[in-house]
Amino acid sequence: MAYSPVPDTGESERHVITVLVDNEAGVLARIAGLFSGRGYNIDTLTVAEVDADAHTSLITVAAIGTPMVIEQIKAQLGRLVPVREVVDFSMDIPHVEREMALVKVVGTGEKRVEALRLSDAFRARVLDTTHSSFVFEITGASDKIDAFINLMRPLGLQEISRTGVTAIARGANTNEQE
Amino acid sequence: MSRLKSGAQIVLQALIDQKVDTIFGYPGGAVLPIYDELFSSEDIRHILVRHEQGAVHAAEGYARASGKPGVLLVTSGPGVTNTITGLADAMMDSTPLVCITGQVPTPLIGTDAFQEADTVGITRPCTKHNWLVRSVDDLPRILHQAFHIATSGRPGPVVVDIPKDVQFAKGNYRRPTPEMLKCYQPQLKGDETAIEEAVDLMLSARRPIFYTGGGVINSGGRACTLLRELVQMSGYPITSTLMGLGAYPASDPQWLGMVGMHGNWEANHAMHKCDVMINIGARFDDRVTGRLDAFSPHSKKIHVDIDPSSINKNVRVDVPVVGDCANILEVMIKVWKDKAVRPSGSHEVEDWWAQIEQWRARKCLAYQDSGNVIKPQYALERLYALTANRRDVYISTEVGQHQMWAAQYYHFQEPRHWVTSGGLGTMGFGLPAAIGMQIAHPDKLVVDVAGEASALMTIQEMSTAVQYNLPIKIFILNNQYMGMVRQWQELIHGGRYSHSYSESLPDFVALAQAFGAHGIRAENKAELDSKIEEMIEIDKPVLFDCRVDPHENCFPMIPSGAGHSEMLLSADPDERTAVSKEDKTLV
């Protein structure tokens, strides 16, 4: 509790931020601990090694906050010793964002046919099928996945597994802000 | 291969190469190999504390008074968990510490072994960085990186956790190389365009104020010298945070005293009314700003800070300059000299000074003295009067009313002479910190201004002071209350003094004697001076039980949820504005 509450009147925004880190033990805990310790909201978080020789991993965080909070999140991330670079794609950087989901729909009859028909419209792939179920793989922006999931709900949606957002800059530019 | 060293030997060699001559610590099972090396070491002096929290605070006191990193060595499990308060304290106050911890052997990690704790997990949020050393081959690099990270950029504590098998394992020692230190390269030089913009703003000011903090002291002696040069060149008033006291001499007429919750009337009003605020190495802490939407509403703000995350964290600023303040002050002075056509102290800020003198005339630190009872303010005035003529008096404090009174009534001329727990507010800090300060400055007078409640939190370290003949003076303003808690209960909670009265206090004179130290008690004004003289003269650790008025409160005060212009100068109910229900939730 602060001596005085922060009059942060900004509107919350969702920002996709990538963090290039040294791939060392505990680095994900440092990032996650920073968010929980300072009360920042994470929407999604993904992490994987991207350069085995350089021992670097790329963490993609979709964070929600006012412009002041987002600025703090980036500054606090940049302060961590194993963090090499922080890029905020939502700051006017032309980029593509993708997320993948695996969606299990259980049902028979008309609902099953409708699920398959809709999956085609969303360009989802059928990864597994039985007489009473499908597992769809769908890739796209997060809102497209949200839309697909919402359509599947009345059709027997049973389980969802989502990867969280990952992003990369458009064009020949590499992963650098300036 | 005879050139191979054990992990424990590598630790000692790295300490020697980092020019460490003193460490604070407490042995235990998981650090025995390192203690075995210390047994025969002639290069490293080990100070045995009585509790690991004492080791951290002593290392902090040593670091803050000397400008060198403080180093400590503790065992696994409870050894580490006992350091947490001190590490969090050092993190908040940007104190460079290297904390070396023993860990259970690598194969036992994760098995809930005896005295096992997840050291890197527990210390992660209260360190600047930490490491678990899984191989002796990594040990030299990590140790040198630890010193580099603790001391460069914004300083802070680091932990190096070394499993016992790694301490026994043999490996090659390597000296620090530039390659090792590439892992962390903070920005030290300020952006010249931003500095130029800042100086333009400073030159255009009619109601300017310098607001400086602990960052200036952390930057070093050069920064303090340059700050004095710039402030005097400009003729502008200067205030400072609790952490920044001493960077600018309190005897100078441009000095307005401390800012913030218990800051001076003139400093807080000047902050409120200024048109240009020049923040150098301070972080807009909530104890300084008070209510944020009422904080200095009409000013353009310049913020010099080495930590980019300090910029725009609490207060939005107009001209941020990231970098080491010594470098930035140097460029500022150069740019100022190039641009300034008017002489310093010219009429542009005359009206402003006239206004400030009116605020000053309120004499906000005046208090109602009494005939025979010792008022705490009076005790500190006498302590200052009787010690200030000695050069180089070092003051530490605990946390509470006495801390604020010490900041108000003891006037610091030089940096690193004032060591207090600012950010975390750790009761029990000052006594062990004084031990570290005395070790850094063996021939100087070191006084811990304490309260009786705080002092009892780490009183066991008196034993350390006695063992090493450290003549620290624990000057206890004994009011039998947790004074600051009582003050808030009086002002905000209807005078319901819930659990803030200290029952069953020890006889501090007898306690001093039990430790083999010297005990003094002063109960009235008449005897105070001679008792303080006795304290100064005696070449032993002293517990000074100074019995003060138990009901005195600390003013000025900016109450919860108020702005700088709403300061209280006394507990007079007419002057007191009611604290709203919402504001009561604030701390």
Side-chain angles (χ1 to χ4, degrees), chain B residues 120-174:
Chain B
V120 289
I122 293 170
T123 61
R124 193 177 291 126
C126 54
T127 52
K128 187 171 172 187
H129 197 58
N130 61 15
W131 297 261
L132 169 62
V133 185
R134 288 190 168 271
S135 159
V136 72
D137 299 330
D138 297 330
L139 188 55
R141 170 181 59 81
I142 288 174
L143 285 165
H144 294 310
Q145 284 178 345
F147 278 88
H148 171 63
I149 290 170
T151 55
S152 55
R154 180 176 179 176
V158 299
V159 165
V160 182
D161 193 30
I162 311 175
K164 196 170 183 181
D165 55 329
V166 175
Q167 297 170 32
F168 278 122
K170 300 272 186 179
N172 281 306
Y173 175 72
R174 283 169 296 144

Side-chain angles (χ1 to χ4, degrees), chain B residues 67-362:
Chain B
K68 296 189 281 187
V71 182
L72 64 146
L73 175 63
V74 300
T75 194
S76 64
V80 170
T81 55
N82 280 345
T83 67
I84 299 300
T85 302
L87 292 172
D89 189 273
M91 186 70 177
M92 286 286 253
D93 285 345
S94 309
T95 305
L97 295 185
V98 176
C99 174
I100 296 168
T101 60
Q103 181 56 281
V104 301
T106 320
L108 291 186
I109 291 176
T111 65
D112 298 322
F114 178 64
Q115 292 194 330
E116 184 189 354
D118 174 9
T119 297
V120 289
I122 293 170
T123 61
R124 193 177 291 126
C126 54
T127 52
K128 187 171 172 187
H129 197 58
N130 61 15
W131 297 261
L132 169 62
V133 185
R134 288 190 168 271
S135 159
V136 72
D137 299 330
D138 297 330
L139 188 55
R141 170 181 59 81
I142 288 174
L143 285 165
H144 294 310
Q145 284 178 345
F147 278 88
H148 171 63
I149 290 170
T151 55
S152 55
R154 180 176 179 176
V158 299
V159 165
V160 182
D161 193 30
I162 311 175
K164 196 170 183 181
D165 55 329
V166 175
Q167 297 170 32
F168 278 122
K170 300 272 186 179
N172 281 306
Y173 175 72
R174 283 169 296 144
R175 287 176 190 284
T177 62
E179 189 63 28
M180 287 179 188
L181 311 183
K182 269 167 70 179
C183 65
Y184 178 70
Q185 297 292 336
Q187 184 182 337
L188 300 178
K189 282 211 154 65
D191 178 63
E192 299 225 353
T193 323
I195 296 176
E196 197 153 319
E197 204 184 325
V199 174
D200 283 337
L201 197 54
M202 286 158 66
L203 281 165
S204 73
R206 293 297 171 266
R207 300 188 308 280
I209 187 164
F210 281 95
Y211 151 46
T212 63
V216 181
I217 293 168
N218 269 336
S219 176
R222 189 171 135 249
C224 297
T225 308
L226 291 165
L227 175 73
R228 291 160 186 219
E229 192 183 333
L230 180 64
V231 171
Q232 279 157 21
M233 202 157 73
S234 68
Y236 293 171
I238 174 170
T239 182
S240 149
T241 65
L242 180 74
M243 295 299 292
L245 296 178
Y248 193 84
S251 57
D252 188 87
Q254 282 168 254
W255 171 249
L256 302 190
M258 183 173 71
V259 68
M261 187 177 258
H262 295 287
N264 279 7
W265 183 264
E266 53 270 35
N268 283 339
H269 276 284
M271 288 283 276
H272 189 72
K273 287 280 165 85
C274 68
D275 68 347
V276 173
M277 181 183 291
I278 308 138
N279 173 347
I280 301 177
R283 59 184 177 90
F284 295 108
D285 176 71
D286 56 69
R287 299 290 113 162
V288 162
T289 62
R291 198 170 119 198
L292 275 171
D293 54 6
F295 175 68
S296 193
H298 311 297
S299 62
K300 295 262 187 192
K301 297 174 185 76
I302 296 161
H303 189 183
V304 175
D305 204 301
I306 201 163
D307 178 359
S309 77
S310 286
I311 308 284
N312 292 334
K313 182 171 67 182
N314 303 328
V315 171
R316 214 155 247 296
V317 295
D318 302 279
V319 186
V321 192
V322 173
D324 180 57
C325 66
N327 296 336
I328 292 165
L329 283 164
E330 193 171 16
V331 182
M332 272 183 167
I333 290 170
K334 189 180 158 295
V335 176
W336 179 285
K337 281 181 177 163
D338 289 348
K339 292 195 178 215
V341 285
R342 59 190 169 83
S344 65
S346 72
H347 64 275
E348 272 94 341
V349 294
E350 257 174 30
D351 291 350
W352 180 229
W353 271 112
Q355 168 72 75
I356 288 170
E357 292 307 333
Q358 282 181 19
W359 288 322
R360 230 180 214 167
R362 287 294 293 264

Side-chain angles (χ1 to χ4, degrees), chain A residues 14 44-46 97-103 123-125 127 135-146 148-149 160-167:
Chain A
R14 178 174 183 269
T44 72
L45 184 146
T46 72
E97 277 177 43
R98 283 295 177 270
E99 187 180 354
M100 191 186 87
L102 301 177
V103 179
R123 298 205 190 117
R125 292 169 57 202
L127 290 190
V135 173
F136 297 115
E137 172 201 310
I138 178 165
T139 305
S142 300
D143 54 357
K144 174 181 160 181
I145 292 171
D146 291 344
F148 181 70
I149 286 168
I160 308 159
S161 175
R162 293 175 75 148
T163 59
V165 163
T166 180

Side-chain angles (χ1 to χ4, degrees), chain B residues 433-511:
Chain B
I435 287 175
M437 293 156 76
Q438 189 78 76
I439 283 165
H441 303 287
D443 304 323
K444 309 296 183 190
L445 177 63
V446 177
V447 182
D448 168 32
V449 176
E452 80 290 344
S454 286
L456 282 175
M457 284 201 176
T458 48
I459 195 75
Q460 76 285 346
E461 300 305 331
M462 281 306 286
S463 182
T464 309
V466 170
Q467 179 179 345
Y468 296 96
N469 298 316
L470 304 169
I472 55 170
K473 319 299 182 191
I474 312 305
F475 189 69
I476 300 172
L477 297 178
N478 184 352
N479 62 0
Q480 301 163 68
Y481 278 104
M482 294 151 213
M484 193 60 92
V485 172
R486 199 215 58 230
Q487 179 166 344
W488 280 60
Q489 288 173 334
E490 180 179 326
L491 291 176
I492 298 171
H493 295 280
R496 292 179 295 280
Y497 301 128
S498 181
H499 302 276
S500 54
Y501 182 74
S502 302
E503 299 275 356
S504 309
L505 282 170
D507 174 342
F508 283 104
V509 173
L511 186 60

Side-chain angles (χ1 to χ4, degrees), chain B residues 515-558:
Chain B
F515 275 115
H518 186 73
I520 301 175
R521 178 170 297 119
E523 290 177 299
N524 57 59
K525 279 172 81 174
E527 62 180 9
L528 182 61
D529 276 20
S530 63
K531 296 282 173 92
I532 290 177
E533 294 284 9
E534 180 189 345
M535 173 184 90
I536 297 168
E537 289 312 318
I538 194 158
D539 189 26
K540 274 176 113 177
V542 174
L543 273 181
F544 191 117
D545 183 12
C546 185
R547 295 297 183 88
V548 298
D549 181 351
H551 303 295
E552 196 63 22
N553 282 334
C554 184
F555 293 102
M557 178 183 186
I558 302 175

